[in-house]
Amino acid sequence: MYWAKEIEELPRKQLEELQAKKLREIVARAAKSEFYRQKFEQAGLRPEDIHTVRDLAKIPYTVKNDLRDNYPYGLLTVPLKDVVRMHVSSGTTGSPTVIFHTIEDIRRWADLMARSLAAAGCIPEDVFQNMTTYGMFTGGLGLHYGAETLGMMIIPASAGNTDRQIKLIQDFNTTVIHATPSYALHIGDVMQAKGHDPHQFGIRIAVLGAEPYSATTAAKLEKTFGYTAINSYGLSEMNGPGVAFECEKREGMHIWEDSYIAEIIDPDTGEPLPDGEEGELVLTTLDRRAMPILRYRTRDLTSFVDAPCSCGRTHRLLDRFKGRSDDMMIVSGVNIFPSQIEHILMDFPEVGTNYQIVLERAKSLDSMIVRVELMPDAFTGDIRDLNNIRKKMGETMRSGLLVRPNIELLEPGSLPVAQGKAVRVIDNRQL
Amino acid sequence: MAHHVAVFLENRPHGLERIGLALKEAKINIRALTLADAGDYGVAKLLVANPQKACNVLKDAGLIASLREIIALEMTDLPGGFFEASQKLADAGINILDAYGFIVEKGARAILVVQVEDVAQANARLSGIGMKSISDDDLADL
């Protein structure tokens, strides 16, 4: 189903003209922020130097640390009274990065999200159960507003409480769900353990995102439930979900090029790569009012699909995401950097600074184990004190990371000594 | 004053063996041993003839060890002996965190070792009822 047929099928030439027009406007708007004013000045760039999409190359990249270093208002281009909402994204250290929205930003985001859901086959008659966390992260509210704009009935179930999720599906005949792929697998496991055939529930579409997952996982879910698995991509810096989305043809994820300019670059050299080659996705917002972000290095690895989609939409397709060009981990749909954990460990003199993170997946649910070495002086001889250290570290990490790791205390020297770029993360999950 | 040595151990093979080897080489005899377990790790508690030396030896062997003051009470190795000792502790209002015991002479003498929150307070309360913890020296002579 089309939501904005004219835009979705806009011929490439006109689409690129639209991009160029919006690019000129957003560069001028961005220059109003303290951050871009300085960045342009350093690069010797004047907003009027930008004419076509090809001029994009003149604009320096924006990276996550820029957002952190200019926390909280450095990228804002409008007075705070015009801001209606903020969201956060995980930062690489203790402080998160913040994204602000005007009412127009929120409406455009909801509209893009509605377009994405419509392309996936959702209709107003659908009952939409939103099984991702509501709150500062964008997955919950992003899909919520989009589903509402489309006109579906929303069950704002949020994440977790699987028994209740299944009861809601049963009682209200849920036809569309939004979840992380690992949680969707978990629901299937629980349904089967309770003696249900997941097919019986009549769910016809599952929007799955926030974690990279393989085509095999998608196929497994489709077989288990009998629904169509739709791949969803987004990041808080670019709004959240609704940046790229599979349509019913599922030949890749349409990147909505009237709202974003997508580039694929070599993550090591920063050079643009030709279509079809795998590299890091770089995105430029075209519609943002509160907080324009130009040439943002997503650190997500993908490639353009080298053929147009058979659906007729002219917006290019991104391939399934392959991973990250940095060390960010995605645990239960939550983005975590090892450096965040390192940061927290520094506040605990009872343990050393060497650490290891082990990721496991059991019964389709992720778990994170943080292994640290006990400092000899911190040992009182009482096991309760050790348990308290472990508990306090677990609590601090849960509030900082939104995931509670299991802390393992080790004897000094148990962990490999960091040499060069230490391998801190051992991921034993089958994604 | 009496002490035992607590050793932090990861839950993996050879942990106790390392303790045993270090004490063997230092020719330190073990009177009693107990283990507390918290899943991934545990704490071994050792009552030895010379706790300070044992603690140093274990640290030198690369283990995390800590000297901890305890209370050691003599009891009779007969039915009711433990009851008598525990009743005294209860009457003195001493709360016990952890305890273990061992026999010195069958049918005659046994030792009850208890770990408490506040050793100074516990010792004061014991002397209030005319009791006294056995000292490290006394334990070494057993």
Side-chain angles (χ1 to χ4, degrees), chain A residues 79-117:
Chain A
L80 267 180
K81 73 169 176 56
D82 294 340
V83 173
V84 300
R85 199 197 295 171
M86 61 170 269
H87 277 284
V88 301
S89 167
S90 351
T92 47
T93 62
S95 59
T97 52
V98 190
I99 309 295
F100 297 101
H101 299 274
T102 65
I103 189 68
E104 195 179 345
D105 289 331
I106 294 289
R107 284 182 185 143
R108 281 176 191 271
W109 177 15
D111 192 73
L112 270 189
M113 199 60 251
R115 186 202 292 180
S116 304
L117 289 165

Short mmCIF file of all heavy atoms in Angstrom, two decimals, chain A residues 79-117:
data_model
loop_
_atom_site.label_atom_id
_atom_site.label_comp_id
_atom_site.label_asym_id
_atom_site.label_seq_id
_atom_site.Cartn_x
_atom_site.Cartn_y
_atom_site.Cartn_z
N PRO A 79 14.85 27.98 19.04
CA PRO A 79 14.74 28.26 20.48
C PRO A 79 14.10 27.07 21.21
O PRO A 79 13.30 26.34 20.61
CB PRO A 79 13.82 29.48 20.55
CG PRO A 79 13.51 29.89 19.16
CD PRO A 79 14.01 28.86 18.21
N LEU A 80 14.48 26.88 22.47
CA LEU A 80 13.98 25.72 23.21
C LEU A 80 12.45 25.69 23.29
O LEU A 80 11.85 24.62 23.40
CB LEU A 80 14.55 25.73 24.63
CG LEU A 80 15.83 24.94 24.83
CD1 LEU A 80 16.29 25.03 26.28
CD2 LEU A 80 15.63 23.45 24.45
N LYS A 81 11.79 26.86 23.22
CA LYS A 81 10.34 26.87 23.30
C LYS A 81 9.71 26.14 22.11
O LYS A 81 8.58 25.67 22.18
CB LYS A 81 9.80 28.30 23.41
CG LYS A 81 9.87 29.12 22.12
CD LYS A 81 9.08 30.42 22.26
CE LYS A 81 9.21 31.31 21.04
NZ LYS A 81 8.83 30.70 19.76
N ASP A 82 10.46 26.02 21.00
CA ASP A 82 9.93 25.32 19.83
C ASP A 82 10.19 23.81 19.88
O ASP A 82 9.76 23.06 19.01
CB ASP A 82 10.55 25.89 18.55
CG ASP A 82 10.10 27.33 18.30
OD1 ASP A 82 9.06 27.73 18.87
OD2 ASP A 82 10.81 28.04 17.55
N VAL A 83 10.95 23.38 20.89
CA VAL A 83 11.24 21.95 21.01
C VAL A 83 10.11 21.29 21.78
O VAL A 83 9.68 21.81 22.82
CB VAL A 83 12.59 21.74 21.74
CG1 VAL A 83 12.82 20.27 22.04
CG2 VAL A 83 13.73 22.30 20.89
N VAL A 84 9.61 20.16 21.25
CA VAL A 84 8.51 19.49 21.94
C VAL A 84 8.91 18.14 22.53
O VAL A 84 8.17 17.57 23.32
CB VAL A 84 7.26 19.30 21.04
CG1 VAL A 84 6.75 20.65 20.56
CG2 VAL A 84 7.56 18.37 19.87
N ARG A 85 10.03 17.61 22.11
CA ARG A 85 10.42 16.30 22.66
C ARG A 85 11.91 16.09 22.53
O ARG A 85 12.55 16.64 21.63
CB ARG A 85 9.69 15.17 21.93
CG ARG A 85 9.71 13.87 22.75
CD ARG A 85 9.38 12.64 21.96
NE ARG A 85 8.03 12.64 21.45
CZ ARG A 85 7.57 11.75 20.58
NH1 ARG A 85 8.37 10.79 20.15
NH2 ARG A 85 6.34 11.81 20.13
N MET A 86 12.44 15.26 23.42
CA MET A 86 13.82 14.80 23.26
C MET A 86 13.85 13.28 23.36
O MET A 86 13.00 12.65 23.98
CB MET A 86 14.73 15.41 24.32
CG MET A 86 14.38 15.06 25.74
SD MET A 86 15.66 15.58 26.92
CE MET A 86 16.67 14.11 26.99
N HIS A 87 14.84 12.72 22.70
CA HIS A 87 15.13 11.30 22.84
C HIS A 87 16.62 11.16 23.09
O HIS A 87 17.38 12.08 22.82
CB HIS A 87 14.75 10.54 21.56
CG HIS A 87 13.29 10.20 21.48
ND1 HIS A 87 12.73 9.19 22.21
CD2 HIS A 87 12.28 10.76 20.76
CE1 HIS A 87 11.44 9.12 21.94
NE2 HIS A 87 11.13 10.06 21.06
N VAL A 88 17.01 10.01 23.57
CA VAL A 88 18.45 9.80 23.78
C VAL A 88 18.92 8.56 23.03
O VAL A 88 18.14 7.68 22.68
CB VAL A 88 18.85 9.65 25.26
CG1 VAL A 88 18.46 10.87 26.06
CG2 VAL A 88 18.26 8.39 25.86
N SER A 89 20.21 8.55 22.82
CA SER A 89 20.86 7.40 22.21
C SER A 89 22.06 7.10 23.10
O SER A 89 22.55 7.98 23.79
CB SER A 89 21.31 7.81 20.82
OG SER A 89 22.18 6.86 20.29
N SER A 90 22.51 5.85 23.11
CA SER A 90 23.65 5.52 23.96
C SER A 90 24.87 6.30 23.50
O SER A 90 25.14 6.40 22.32
CB SER A 90 23.99 4.04 23.92
OG SER A 90 23.03 3.32 23.25
N GLY A 91 25.59 6.82 24.45
CA GLY A 91 26.86 7.46 24.14
C GLY A 91 27.97 6.47 24.39
O GLY A 91 27.75 5.40 24.95
N THR A 92 29.18 6.83 23.99
CA THR A 92 30.29 5.90 24.17
C THR A 92 30.83 5.98 25.60
O THR A 92 31.61 5.15 26.01
CB THR A 92 31.42 6.21 23.18
OG1 THR A 92 31.64 7.61 23.20
CG2 THR A 92 31.04 5.78 21.79
N THR A 93 30.45 7.00 26.36
CA THR A 93 30.85 7.05 27.76
C THR A 93 29.59 7.19 28.58
O THR A 93 28.51 6.88 28.12
CB THR A 93 31.77 8.26 28.02
OG1 THR A 93 31.03 9.43 27.74
CG2 THR A 93 33.02 8.21 27.19
N GLY A 94 29.74 7.72 29.77
CA GLY A 94 28.58 7.84 30.65
C GLY A 94 27.47 8.71 30.11
O GLY A 94 26.30 8.42 30.30
N SER A 95 27.81 9.79 29.40
CA SER A 95 26.73 10.70 29.00
C SER A 95 26.12 10.27 27.67
O SER A 95 26.81 9.97 26.71
CB SER A 95 27.25 12.14 28.91
OG SER A 95 28.30 12.21 28.00
N PRO A 96 24.80 10.26 27.62
CA PRO A 96 24.12 9.87 26.38
C PRO A 96 24.15 11.02 25.37
O PRO A 96 24.57 12.13 25.70
CB PRO A 96 22.69 9.62 26.84
CG PRO A 96 22.52 10.52 28.01
CD PRO A 96 23.86 10.65 28.66
N THR A 97 23.74 10.75 24.16
CA THR A 97 23.57 11.83 23.19
C THR A 97 22.08 12.11 23.11
O THR A 97 21.26 11.22 23.23
CB THR A 97 24.15 11.46 21.83
OG1 THR A 97 23.60 10.20 21.44
CG2 THR A 97 25.64 11.33 21.89
N VAL A 98 21.74 13.39 22.93
CA VAL A 98 20.35 13.81 22.97
C VAL A 98 19.93 14.34 21.61
O VAL A 98 20.69 15.01 20.93
CB VAL A 98 20.16 14.94 24.02
CG1 VAL A 98 18.69 15.22 24.23
CG2 VAL A 98 20.82 14.57 25.31
N ILE A 99 18.73 14.00 21.22
CA ILE A 99 18.17 14.48 19.96
C ILE A 99 16.88 15.23 20.28
O ILE A 99 16.03 14.73 21.02
CB ILE A 99 17.84 13.31 19.00
CG1 ILE A 99 19.04 12.37 18.84
CG2 ILE A 99 17.36 13.83 17.65
CD1 ILE A 99 20.26 12.96 18.19
N PHE A 100 16.75 16.43 19.73
CA PHE A 100 15.57 17.26 19.98
C PHE A 100 14.67 17.31 18.76
O PHE A 100 15.15 17.23 17.62
CB PHE A 100 16.00 18.68 20.36
CG PHE A 100 16.81 18.74 21.62
CD1 PHE A 100 18.20 18.86 21.57
CD2 PHE A 100 16.20 18.66 22.85
CE1 PHE A 100 18.95 18.90 22.72
CE2 PHE A 100 16.95 18.70 24.02
CZ PHE A 100 18.32 18.83 23.96
N HIS A 101 13.39 17.48 19.01
CA HIS A 101 12.41 17.55 17.92
C HIS A 101 11.46 18.72 18.12
O HIS A 101 11.00 18.96 19.24
CB HIS A 101 11.58 16.27 17.87
CG HIS A 101 12.38 15.03 17.63
ND1 HIS A 101 12.73 14.58 16.38
CD2 HIS A 101 12.93 14.15 18.50
CE1 HIS A 101 13.44 13.47 16.49
NE2 HIS A 101 13.58 13.19 17.76
N THR A 102 11.12 19.37 17.02
CA THR A 102 10.00 20.32 17.04
C THR A 102 8.74 19.52 16.72
O THR A 102 8.82 18.34 16.35
CB THR A 102 10.15 21.41 15.96
OG1 THR A 102 10.06 20.78 14.67
CG2 THR A 102 11.49 22.15 16.07
N ILE A 103 7.59 20.16 16.82
CA ILE A 103 6.35 19.46 16.50
C ILE A 103 6.35 19.03 15.03
O ILE A 103 5.86 17.95 14.69
CB ILE A 103 5.10 20.33 16.86
CG1 ILE A 103 3.81 19.52 16.73
CG2 ILE A 103 5.02 21.59 16.02
CD1 ILE A 103 3.66 18.43 17.76
N GLU A 104 6.96 19.85 14.19
CA GLU A 104 7.02 19.50 12.78
C GLU A 104 7.91 18.26 12.57
O GLU A 104 7.58 17.37 11.78
CB GLU A 104 7.57 20.69 11.98
CG GLU A 104 7.33 20.56 10.50
CD GLU A 104 7.86 21.75 9.70
OE1 GLU A 104 8.16 22.79 10.31
OE2 GLU A 104 7.97 21.60 8.47
N ASP A 105 9.00 18.20 13.31
CA ASP A 105 9.88 17.02 13.24
C ASP A 105 9.10 15.76 13.62
O ASP A 105 9.21 14.72 12.97
CB ASP A 105 11.07 17.17 14.20
CG ASP A 105 12.07 18.22 13.73
OD1 ASP A 105 12.18 18.43 12.50
OD2 ASP A 105 12.76 18.82 14.59
N ILE A 106 8.34 15.87 14.71
CA ILE A 106 7.59 14.71 15.19
C ILE A 106 6.56 14.28 14.15
O ILE A 106 6.40 13.09 13.87
CB ILE A 106 6.90 15.05 16.55
CG1 ILE A 106 7.95 15.28 17.64
CG2 ILE A 106 5.89 13.97 16.95
CD1 ILE A 106 8.69 14.04 18.12
N ARG A 107 5.89 15.26 13.54
CA ARG A 107 4.86 14.92 12.55
C ARG A 107 5.47 14.30 11.30
O ARG A 107 4.93 13.35 10.73
CB ARG A 107 4.05 16.17 12.18
CG ARG A 107 3.07 16.51 13.30
CD ARG A 107 2.21 17.71 12.98
NE ARG A 107 1.39 18.03 14.16
CZ ARG A 107 1.08 19.25 14.55
NH1 ARG A 107 1.50 20.29 13.85
NH2 ARG A 107 0.34 19.43 15.62
N ARG A 108 6.61 14.84 10.88
CA ARG A 108 7.26 14.26 9.69
C ARG A 108 7.76 12.84 9.98
O ARG A 108 7.69 11.97 9.12
CB ARG A 108 8.46 15.13 9.27
CG ARG A 108 8.08 16.37 8.50
CD ARG A 108 9.33 17.19 8.22
NE ARG A 108 9.00 18.50 7.72
CZ ARG A 108 8.83 18.78 6.43
NH1 ARG A 108 8.97 17.82 5.53
NH2 ARG A 108 8.53 19.99 6.04
N TRP A 109 8.26 12.66 11.17
CA TRP A 109 8.74 11.33 11.57
C TRP A 109 7.55 10.35 11.57
O TRP A 109 7.64 9.25 11.01
CB TRP A 109 9.39 11.44 12.95
CG TRP A 109 9.89 10.17 13.57
CD1 TRP A 109 10.08 8.96 12.94
CD2 TRP A 109 10.28 9.97 14.93
NE1 TRP A 109 10.56 8.04 13.84
CE2 TRP A 109 10.68 8.63 15.06
CE3 TRP A 109 10.32 10.80 16.06
CZ2 TRP A 109 11.14 8.11 16.28
CZ3 TRP A 109 10.76 10.27 17.26
CH2 TRP A 109 11.17 8.94 17.37
N ALA A 110 6.45 10.77 12.19
CA ALA A 110 5.26 9.91 12.23
C ALA A 110 4.79 9.59 10.82
O ALA A 110 4.38 8.47 10.52
CB ALA A 110 4.16 10.59 13.03
N ASP A 111 4.89 10.58 9.94
CA ASP A 111 4.44 10.39 8.57
C ASP A 111 5.35 9.39 7.82
O ASP A 111 4.87 8.51 7.11
CB ASP A 111 4.43 11.74 7.85
CG ASP A 111 3.71 11.66 6.53
OD1 ASP A 111 2.47 11.55 6.56
OD2 ASP A 111 4.37 11.67 5.47
N LEU A 112 6.66 9.52 8.02
CA LEU A 112 7.60 8.57 7.40
C LEU A 112 7.38 7.16 7.93
O LEU A 112 7.46 6.18 7.20
CB LEU A 112 9.05 8.95 7.73
CG LEU A 112 9.81 9.89 6.82
CD1 LEU A 112 11.27 9.91 7.25
CD2 LEU A 112 9.69 9.48 5.36
N MET A 113 7.08 7.11 9.21
CA MET A 113 6.85 5.82 9.85
C MET A 113 5.56 5.19 9.30
O MET A 113 5.52 3.99 9.02
CB MET A 113 6.74 6.09 11.37
CG MET A 113 6.95 4.90 12.25
SD MET A 113 8.54 4.13 12.09
CE MET A 113 8.02 2.65 11.28
N ALA A 114 4.53 6.03 9.13
CA ALA A 114 3.27 5.54 8.57
C ALA A 114 3.50 5.06 7.14
O ALA A 114 2.98 4.02 6.72
CB ALA A 114 2.22 6.65 8.59
N ARG A 115 4.32 5.80 6.39
CA ARG A 115 4.65 5.40 5.02
C ARG A 115 5.33 4.04 5.02
O ARG A 115 5.01 3.16 4.21
CB ARG A 115 5.58 6.46 4.41
CG ARG A 115 5.87 6.21 2.94
CD ARG A 115 7.15 6.90 2.49
NE ARG A 115 7.04 8.35 2.50
CZ ARG A 115 8.04 9.15 2.14
NH1 ARG A 115 9.21 8.63 1.75
NH2 ARG A 115 7.91 10.46 2.18
N SER A 116 6.27 3.87 5.97
CA SER A 116 7.00 2.60 6.06
C SER A 116 6.05 1.45 6.37
O SER A 116 6.12 0.38 5.75
CB SER A 116 8.05 2.68 7.17
OG SER A 116 8.93 3.76 6.96
N LEU A 117 5.16 1.67 7.33
CA LEU A 117 4.23 0.61 7.74
C LEU A 117 3.27 0.28 6.61
O LEU A 117 2.94 -0.90 6.38
CB LEU A 117 3.47 1.04 9.00
CG LEU A 117 4.31 1.07 10.29
CD1 LEU A 117 3.58 1.84 11.39
CD2 LEU A 117 4.63 -0.35 10.76
#
